[in-house]
Amino acid sequence: MSKDKDFMRIGSKRLFVGLICGAAAVLCGALIFGWGVPYVGLGNIHPALPYITGGLLILIVAIIAWSAIGLVLQILSGRNIFGGQARGLAIKLFLPISEGLGRLLGLKAQDIRRSFIQVNNDMILKQRRHYTPDKLLVLLPHCIQNSLCSIRLSLSLDNCERCGRCCLGSLLQLVEQYGAQVAIATGGTIARRIVVDKHPGLILAVACERDLSSGIQDTYPLPVYGILNERPHGPCRDTRVPLARVEFALRRFLSPPPVDTDKEASLHHSP
């Protein structure tokens, strides 16, 4: 596998794809059951009502089934079946149902979200859009700062002394090198305010599975490309992120791409 693909892969898409199919089946089954229970009563009101409601039911079931099939085909094949609406189907319809179905099946929420984030990232990559540096926002979690640091970086990242006790200094230097916007968020409310203030065209977000999936939902239709952090000390404390993944994403989405012949050649020819 090439380094390019390795950098962009954070989880298996198959889990979320399977849950999409299961969620569609559950929805269709619930609709059919909901129609069958009052069927006799509808006929007593008017003889045509069972057929009218049955026709509407068949239409709704067909739409759900086609949405699920089309979304799965787009995820697996990369063909632009639904265009930009595919992310909306995955985020607004199938993710909440898939999480509920996953709980019933005993699946870990973290695994479902990781699979969903991979699907979301692939959809954004296949749009092949590029952004100027002022339209690309790198959004970082507060837990990436050293937990013993006394400086409040949520007020301003300029306060960072880049002492090397955490990877934040290196991240800031990397983002500044490419000219993108960067901010640190202490929670969902602050993150939403930052997005409103900075008006990005794309968010490159670093966070855990839970925060990334909720952030992707909250900011839709604004594209959010997710990079999972590393948690060697557990969640929400002294987390890390591989700089290579951030840099690769910056180079992938920025337009025009930065000129660095040696680095481009090494990425292109990496095994």
Side-chain angles (χ1 to χ4, degrees), residues 29 49 132 156 184 248:
L49 271 181
T132 56
S156 174
I184 191 167
F248 187 83

Side-chain angles (χ1 to χ4, degrees), residues 12-20 107-108 111-112 115:
S12 172
K13 296 183 288 185
R14 289 178 294 179
L15 176 59
F16 190 65
V17 167
L19 287 172
I20 288 174
L107 300 175
K108 293 181 180 179
D111 293 338
I112 298 171
S115 183

Side-chain angles (χ1 to χ4, degrees), residues 113-170:
R113 291 165 181 162
R114 180 183 288 261
S115 183
F116 161 71
I117 293 165
Q118 179 62 50
V119 168
N120 170 81
N121 286 357
D122 281 358
M123 288 182 177
I124 292 175
L125 287 171
K126 286 167 184 173
Q127 292 176 359
R128 300 187 182 279
R129 294 180 182 174
H130 293 85
Y131 303 84
T132 56
D134 63 305
K135 287 296 183 180
L136 194 152
L137 170 64
V138 179
L139 192 58
L140 304 172
H142 70 94
C143 58
I144 209 167
Q145 180 184 6
N146 187 282
S147 57
L148 300 178
C149 184
S150 59
I151 301 174
R152 293 187 62 188
L153 296 181
S154 57
L155 299 177
S156 174
L157 283 172
D158 293 334
N159 295 332
C160 180
E161 296 181 350
R162 310 190 184 196
C163 61
R165 290 189 296 170
C166 65
C167 65
L168 187 55
S170 300

